[in-house]
Amino acid sequence: MKKQAIGIFDSGIGGTSIWKEIAIALPNEDTIYLADSKFAPYGKRSQEEIISLSIKNTKKLLELNCKIIVVACNTATTNAIKTLRSQFDVPFIGIEPAIKPAALKTKTKKIGILATKGTLSSELFATTSDLYTNNTEVIEVIGTGLVELIEAGKIYGEEMFTLLSSYIRPLVEKNIDYLVLGCSHYPYLIPVLKKILPKNIIIIDSGEAVARQTKVILSNNDLLNENASEGSHIFFTNGRLSVLQNIVKKTNITTDANQLEF
Ligand code: DGL
């Protein structure tokens, strides 16, 4: 079982930002990534739909013989991970907005969070946010349209800059000092965000924390691959192959990307 791959899924290509951290932290592990781009964005969907898509993706990854599932999507984690854990007998790692580190470090006592409607309206997010943000104002912004532009490969254009600026400006005016990226697509916006944000505002995402947690859970379950050789990385998308290929080729990690109906 140790030699089986780590399965990772997201509503699209965004979770590759998490995959990259996992590939760096666990270089001997094989990975299989599912980009469910055909059904993106999840953020606008009902909880029932998000649960049923997450079950579909999990079944596919288990069919492909994965030993652990990383839900590399905040929207799927906050809406579906409880159900997944109750229905499947395999360890799951989820991703949630990094509210806690931001709340611990903020000096202005104001933090911004950019995420999907599905994440911000979930019960799990409300619980985490309440738990860690005593005396801190959390200003939530729904990133409507951002995932669609990223999925279309339009990260660096004028359209993205204008839309993102309209979401970020009110946060800057409110004097936040931390911006939490609560969607695994958004780390790809960091170069654009850096042009918009004043230098004193720190951006936080959850990629490295998820990779660390994946290592801990694999080790606790005696599932770490003991191979000395480098792992292989296979990607499947039910959307546009070229968009996925363009995003993963920037990592300089050898990958094999394919189209698949699922
Ligand atoms: N990448 C996703 C997340 O982390 C989902 C975005 C979407 O499909 O709306 O929330």
Side-chain angles (χ1 to χ4, degrees):
M1 218 173 156
K2 295 179 181 187
K3 292 194 191 320
Q4 291 170 222
I6 297 175
I8 305 166
F9 78 82
D10 177 41
S11 63
I13 59 173
T16 57
S17 65
I18 311 297
W19 159 80
K20 188 188 78 187
E21 299 299 339
I22 292 173
I24 293 169
L26 294 157
N28 306 327
E29 297 287 342
D30 293 341
T31 66
I32 300 179
Y33 182 97
L34 291 187
D36 199 16
S37 297
K38 187 172 166 185
F39 297 97
Y42 282 10
K44 283 182 185 165
R45 295 181 180 275
S46 67
Q47 183 168 25
E48 289 67 35
E49 284 178 298
I50 298 167
I51 289 175
S52 119
L53 289 166
S54 301
I55 290 175
K56 165 185 77 79
N57 299 334
T58 301
K59 282 187 176 158
K60 182 45 86 184
L61 287 171
L62 294 178
E63 228 174 272
L64 294 166
N65 209 22
C66 293
K67 60 183 173 184
I68 188 169
I69 310 289
V70 179
V71 183
C73 174
N74 293 259
T75 313
T77 300
T78 50
N79 285 277
I81 203 155
K82 221 167 132 185
T83 310
L84 295 176
R85 287 193 170 124
S86 72
Q87 289 197 10
F88 297 95
D89 191 20
V90 65
F92 282 91
I93 312 289
I95 171 170
E96 280 189 70
I99 290 279
K100 186 181 169 185
L104 287 174
K105 290 177 190 158
T106 177
K107 293 202 169 57
T108 62
K109 298 288 167 208
K110 288 187 172 119
I111 63 179
I113 164 146
L114 187 62
T116 70
K117 183 166 169 251
T119 295
L120 294 174
S121 60
S122 69
E123 219 180 284
L124 188 55
F125 174 74
T127 313
T128 312
S129 186
D130 286 352
L131 197 63
Y132 298 114
T133 56
N134 253 351
N135 305 322
T136 296
E137 188 184 347
V138 182
I139 304 152
E140 301 175 4
V141 178
I142 298 173
T144 309
L146 298 176
V147 167
E148 286 90 329
L149 284 176
I150 297 168
E151 287 289 321
K154 296 179 184 166
I155 296 178
Y156 301 107
E158 193 55 42
E159 206 181 338
M160 177 64 88
F161 186 85
T162 309
L163 185 62
L164 201 50
S165 300
S166 74
Y167 295 145
I168 296 304
R169 221 171 293 121
L171 295 174
V172 175
E173 278 161 15
K174 289 229 167 153
N175 198 27
I176 62 159
D177 57 355
Y178 280 84
L179 174 66
V180 178
L181 303 183
C183 170
S184 58
H185 281 70
Y186 298 168
Y188 288 113
L189 301 179
I190 291 175
V192 189
L193 281 167
K194 286 198 167 150
K195 286 189 193 146
I196 300 171
L197 286 169
K199 295 230 170 342
N200 64 307
I201 300 182
I202 297 164
I203 302 169
I204 305 201
D205 70 69
S206 321
E208 283 180 38
V210 173
R212 274 199 304 274
Q213 180 69 358
T214 305
K215 197 168 181 176
V216 168
I217 300 297
L218 283 175
S219 163
N220 290 350
N221 287 277
D222 199 20
L223 285 174
L224 279 171
N225 193 334
E226 284 148 5
N227 270 0
S229 56
E230 237 176 62
S232 71
H233 304 288
I234 303 175
F235 289 75
F236 294 107
T237 177
N238 52 18
R240 279 168 59 195
L241 188 57
S242 58
V243 177
L244 175 68
Q245 281 168 329
N246 281 342
I247 212 131
V248 292
K249 85 173 173 220
K250 293 198 186 98
T251 63
N252 290 326
I253 301 172
T254 310
T255 55
D256 171 20
N258 309 272
Q259 199 113 34
L260 183 75
E261 274 310 310
F262 60 91

